[in-house]
Amino acid sequence: MLYVGLSGGIGSGKSTVATRLAELGAVVIDADGLAREVVAPESEGLAEIVARFGADVLRADGWLDRPALGAIVFADERARRDLEAITHPRVRDLTEQRRAAAPPEAIVVHDVPLLVEAGLAADHHLCLIVDVAAELRSQRLVRDRGMTPQDAAARINAQATDEQRYAVADALLDNNGTREELLDQVESLWQQRLSPYNDNLLADRGVRRELPVRIEDYDAAWPAIAARAIARLQRQLVTAGLDDRVAGIDHIGSTSVPGLGAKDVIDLQLRVLDLDLATSDAFRDALRAAGFVDGRLRTDTPHEWAPEPEVWRKAYFNGADPGTVFHLHVRPADGPGAQLALQFRDWLRANPAERDAYVAEKRRIAALHPGRTEADRAAYPTAKEPWMAAALGRARAWSAAGR
Ligand code: ADP
């Protein structure tokens, strides 16, 4: 069920991690292995390559002559694209076949060096990046794989940058230390995050915020977490052919306002053209593939300017990843709830004094109603309502005045 992307620069330790994950019970799909398989002797892929590039790219024993082909495509952008048009769809199909063949309750790890370069991160429930300083990677490649320092540097520089990898990383495995230290991290990640994430997906069980209420300082990682989740949702909606029924996906709520302290909960909003979509199996499957589960119908609190509860209906999902608490609000795009969430966010972003007043109010109420028990849990939002109603009025007026 759980589909994990594993990547890192060349020489970072991906294979070492993949081997350990397989020992722990994961089904590993080795993208490099599949890339070799689709051009093996007598394969259709190889026949197409020979038809396009000539028999000079074949060795005497019938295998592809990678250095010869590499020399051609390295020098010629169009040739490279032609080659990719032959190999990429085949690798993609084979990857899907291997995934489908895995037991339904298995954790599948996709070991894919070009995760970032090929734009594959959003296909996975979670991306693991093995992180090592480039200098150390280069030393290990020279020491263990007989590369010259120049070769190692050229390979490393041809790949995505560390920053690009960090942007897709849901978890980093630090491999600047010893192999044992790396394997320990893999094991705790398996126990604390991958296994429970998989169990949650299988049980359709969402991850809820823990009691009591805690207002954290603003965390610059929040927008990046939201962006990765939104990319996953978008990817799965496109894959399911449902994207034309969705108007947009937004990061909303307090974590979407730079500088605002908040509960450590990422609120997302998915605006649908018709709320009926939210109860369809196809939609729920797409959301599960993006890591969102336990969808149920709810109604936001109506306001006097739109008193009909009907127009405040929404579907509400939680994330299944134990690493993050997500609240996903699926709202009709033309309804008041979706508009209000965006207005309130944009107003707070544009008005630092209001933002600071808001966090002061949140801290005051959290101190009064820490929500230490399930029963007290609702007291916090209820106590926030008077300030909130007035603030929403100001946000709407600001929005109506065209900012
Ligand atoms: P990748 O699959 O990302 O290219 P590997 O797992 O093959 O990387 O690791 C690259 C090389 O570095 C291998 O020879 C491996 O044994 C070695 N290696 C991996 N982790 C460590 C470590 N923490 N300390 C020293 N050598 C390591």
Side-chain angles (χ1 to χ4, degrees):
M1 176 58 96
L2 185 72
Y3 189 37
V4 177
L6 168 64
S7 196
I10 179 168
S12 60
K14 282 181 304 298
S15 311
T16 309
V17 171
T19 303
R20 185 76 191 108
L21 287 168
E23 288 165 5
L24 289 164
V27 172
V28 175
I29 301 176
D30 169 16
D32 277 352
L34 298 191
R36 283 190 295 274
E37 211 172 311
V38 300
V39 297
E42 304 189 3
S43 64
E44 270 178 37
L46 187 59
E48 283 199 28
I49 288 175
V50 171
R52 165 66 179 80
F53 296 97
D56 287 351
V57 299
L58 279 184
R59 299 191 317 210
D61 60 3
W63 285 80
L64 184 63
D65 185 340
R66 288 181 171 273
L69 182 59
I72 297 173
V73 301
F74 188 71
D76 179 352
E77 171 74 21
R78 198 139 136 226
R80 186 177 60 78
R81 277 205 300 269
D82 288 348
L83 174 63
E84 287 175 356
I86 296 170
T87 57
H88 284 190
R90 291 190 160 82
V91 172
R92 221 171 13 244
D93 288 351
L94 211 47
T95 306
E96 274 316 305
Q97 278 176 34
R98 296 289 152 89
R99 240 190 117 184
E105 71 289 348
I107 295 177
V108 176
V109 172
H110 188 202
D111 173 0
V112 52
L114 300 183
L115 179 83
V116 170
E117 292 84 345
L120 297 175
D123 289 346
H124 306 89
H125 286 110
L126 188 93
C127 291
L128 302 182
I129 297 292
V130 191
D131 184 33
V132 187
E135 177 62 28
L136 198 49
R137 260 184 274 154
S138 168
Q139 284 170 15
R140 286 177 187 165
L141 289 172
V142 170
R143 183 197 65 194
D144 298 339
R145 295 204 193 149
M147 288 189 193
T148 66
Q150 291 74 21
D151 280 347
R155 297 290 201 95
I156 288 171
N157 291 332
Q159 294 192 327
T161 63
D162 288 346
E163 281 64 35
Q164 288 171 315
R165 286 198 199 91
Y166 296 154
V168 304
D170 301 290
L172 285 178
L173 295 164
D174 178 354
N175 192 21
N176 290 292
T178 66
R179 225 173 146 267
E180 286 62 41
E181 284 168 336
L182 174 68
L183 298 180
D184 285 350
Q185 292 173 65
V186 174
E187 197 152 330
S188 19
L189 189 81
W190 177 269
Q191 274 154 18
Q192 290 163 23
R193 194 150 175 197
L194 304 186
S195 281
Y197 192 166
N198 191 42
D199 292 346
N200 287 340
L201 288 173
L202 290 166
D204 197 35
R205 180 173 56 227
V207 174
R208 312 287 179 93
R209 187 177 57 75
E210 282 173 25
L211 307 171
V213 173
R214 279 186 38 190
I215 307 298
E216 311 283 349
D217 288 336
Y218 179 75
D219 185 343
W222 286 335
I225 295 171
R228 288 195 295 274
I230 289 171
R232 289 193 166 97
L233 287 162
Q234 253 153 4
R235 176 71 53 90
Q236 294 305 333
L237 289 167
V238 168
T239 302
L242 299 174
D243 50 312
D244 60 345
R245 300 173 67 181
V246 171
I249 311 175
D250 323 299
H251 182 198
I252 56 163
S254 292
T255 57
S256 70
V257 180
L260 180 59
K263 287 180 286 189
D264 197 357
V265 170
I266 306 293
D267 282 283
L268 301 174
Q269 169 168 278
L270 199 158
R271 285 173 281 125
V272 288
L273 302 186
D274 183 337
L275 192 57
D276 285 345
L277 178 65
T279 52
S280 73
D281 286 344
F283 183 81
R284 281 161 186 267
D285 289 348
L287 261 61
R288 187 176 299 106
F292 291 86
V293 293
D294 193 19
R296 58 255 195 227
L297 289 172
R298 289 278 185 84
T299 303
D300 286 322
T301 309
H303 290 269
E304 73 289 350
W305 42 271
E308 265 314 311
E310 182 64 20
V311 300
W312 295 90
R313 270 160 40 90
K314 68 177 176 183
Y316 179 74
F317 291 72
N318 284 114
D321 177 1
T324 308
V325 180
F326 285 107
H327 295 174
L328 173 61
H329 311 261
V330 180
R331 293 183 170 122
D334 59 358
Q339 300 310 315
L340 190 60
L342 295 177
Q343 287 166 354
F344 186 53
R345 176 195 73 185
D346 294 345
W347 172 71
L348 287 171
R349 282 178 174 175
N351 293 282
E354 292 284 8
R355 175 197 71 194
D356 295 344
Y358 184 31
V359 75
E361 176 68 3
K362 290 204 276 188
R363 292 217 156 94
R364 186 181 75 80
I365 290 172
L368 289 174
H369 298 286
R372 279 191 222 292
T373 62
E374 248 343 293
D376 193 30
R377 203 182 180 118
Y380 172 82
T382 306
K384 235 174 70 178
E385 262 167 32
W387 187 91
M388 207 53 178
L392 290 175
R394 295 198 293 283
R396 291 181 71 226
W398 171 84
S399 192
R403 273 99 233 244

